[in-house]
Amino acid sequence: MSSGSSKDEFRSGFVCFVGRPNTGKSTLTNAMVGQKIAITSSRPQTTRHTIRGIVHREHAQLILVDTPGLHRPRTLLGQRLNDLVRDTYSEVDVIAVCIPADEKIGPGDRWIVQQVKQMAPKTTLLGVVTKIDKVGRDQVAQQLVAVSELLGPEADVVPVSAVKGEQVEVLVDVIASKMPEGPAFYPDGELTDEPEETLMAELIREAALEGVRDELPHSLAVVIEEILPREENEDLLDVHALLYVERPSQKAIVIGKRGTRLKEVGTAARKQIEHILGTRIYLHLHVKVAKDWQRDPKQLGKLGF
């Protein structure tokens, strides 16, 4: 069997990117899918839902499962997120460990690899050295060797720059070659199987977190209350969303002086949502305080966790 035969048979399966915060996982997801679907933010723990990006190619279909990051749980929410992660890992075909080219491998990376190997010992591991546009060739080469040593001799390691689009297709091919043969799971043209409300909520959440100090990330949840077409204009959707925070002080941050910040959030999120839905929307955003919701099982359930 020649090495070229891997492309003759259609392959499909599930892949999960793991890595410390800010290692470029979401950016890579978006580069492979070709549209913004995973929320990207420079702040740890912004991904809360298993957003699946779907990569369609002639010879393969890859379903990218974006898990909430692995972390040591401190709250009930943390525990639930970790359980979600554990379930996801055991169900995917490939786990790709993302490590940036411009940072030395540290204890956080080692901890993640150790967790992955414990949770999903049978799943194929793959190394991805991200952000190769930030360093010279020598440093990329050194990092490839280091990642290879970290993961073990069976794991392939691929260097990429999602921002510049370098080697993204090579990575797609390498992942595809490790997938089982089988038909596509989703019709061509679908980019994600997330319900639109979830995507909307994530995009609003991302916009609200942009540029805010560290006191917000975990304390912000977004719930889409309703989506209604305008009676006089069917092409316009009214989207009503609630932003929940834990303390009145956080409510003030989200709203901003005279409501300026909430307006900016609405504008940024609206553009993204319209791009995904292909239709005009009007966003109605309201901020509410739900005291200590992360530690309250009842409230967690209500907010969709």
Side-chain angles (χ1 to χ4, degrees):
M1 183 170 140
S2 73
S3 60
S5 65
S6 64
K7 279 201 176 184
D8 298 345
E9 293 294 337
F10 194 86
R11 292 173 181 272
S12 58
F14 293 79
V15 55
C16 180
F17 290 129
V18 301
R20 283 183 293 104
N22 306 333
T23 49
K25 301 182 293 288
S26 294
T27 313
L28 191 53
T29 296
N30 293 329
M32 288 170 71
V33 174
Q35 179 170 354
K36 179 161 183 174
I37 53 149
I39 69 168
T40 53
S41 159
S42 58
R43 123 162 339 127
Q45 284 300 189
T46 46
T47 313
R48 280 236 172 108
H49 291 280
T50 308
I51 293 183
R52 295 181 167 87
I54 302 164
V55 181
H56 301 275
R57 294 296 183 268
E58 268 177 32
H59 62 294
Q61 184 179 78
L62 313 178
I63 294 112
L64 312 182
V65 184
D66 201 13
T67 61
L70 263 180
H71 59 294
R72 299 176 169 91
R74 281 190 301 275
T75 60
L76 185 61
L77 173 65
Q79 189 52 56
R80 285 198 188 176
L81 291 180
N82 269 8
D83 292 345
L84 193 71
V85 170
R86 184 170 277 111
D87 292 347
T88 303
Y89 283 175
S90 52
E91 287 165 9
V92 297
D93 301 288
V94 173
I95 296 172
V97 181
C98 297
I99 295 178
D102 61 345
E103 292 172 38
K104 283 221 176 327
I105 290 175
D109 302 305
R110 291 195 182 87
W111 185 76
I112 285 170
V113 170
Q114 179 200 338
Q115 293 292 311
V116 166
K117 285 184 169 176
Q118 276 173 11
M119 287 182 184
K122 294 191 174 76
T123 309
T124 302
L125 269 191
L126 173 72
V128 184
V129 173
T130 58
K131 308 187 184 185
I132 59 169
D133 53 291
K134 291 195 166 181
V135 298
R137 282 187 171 179
D138 290 352
Q139 209 174 325
V140 171
Q142 283 169 10
Q143 194 72 322
L144 289 172
V145 171
V147 172
S148 181
E149 284 171 1
L150 175 69
L151 297 180
E154 302 82 47
D156 285 343
V157 184
V158 183
V160 295
S161 163
V163 172
K164 293 264 165 60
E166 283 170 43
Q167 293 266 112
V168 172
E169 284 310 305
V170 173
L171 179 62
V172 169
D173 284 343
V174 170
I175 295 173
S177 72
K178 299 182 182 308
M179 291 297 175
E181 289 175 9
F185 289 89
Y186 294 94
D188 199 0
E190 278 193 39
L191 297 176
T192 170
D193 73 348
E194 280 294 300
E196 279 160 354
E197 283 100 81
T198 310
L199 274 174
M200 286 185 196
E202 288 281 285
L203 289 166
I204 293 167
R205 192 162 172 268
E206 179 187 42
L209 289 177
E210 205 47 57
V212 175
R213 294 196 303 279
D214 290 339
E215 55 183 295
L216 264 185
H218 294 284
S219 319
L220 184 67
V222 178
V223 175
I224 304 291
E225 275 206 304
E226 55 181 2
I227 302 169
L228 302 166
R230 281 271 169 102
E231 280 181 15
E232 67 277 13
N233 182 357
E234 287 284 311
D235 297 332
L236 184 65
L237 292 179
D238 279 301
V239 177
H240 296 264
L242 289 173
L243 287 76
Y244 285 97
V245 290
E246 291 193 312
R247 297 192 295 281
S249 61
Q250 295 170 334
K251 182 177 176 175
I253 294 172
V254 176
I255 293 174
K257 212 173 184 171
R258 298 205 184 107
T260 49
R261 189 131 205 295
L262 195 60
K263 258 207 187 89
E264 286 165 13
V265 169
T267 306
R270 192 197 77 233
K271 284 181 187 150
Q272 300 268 10
I273 292 168
E274 287 184 338
H275 181 65
I276 282 174
L277 295 187
T279 181
R280 283 173 49 236
I281 67 160
Y282 191 87
L283 258 188
H284 306 261
L285 301 180
H286 299 282
V287 185
K288 282 192 167 180
V289 178
K291 203 168 163 321
D292 293 334
W293 65 263
Q294 293 189 69
R295 296 174 191 280
D296 177 349
K298 249 221 215 73
Q299 301 217 62
L300 276 175
K302 206 171 85 181
L303 297 175
F305 293 109

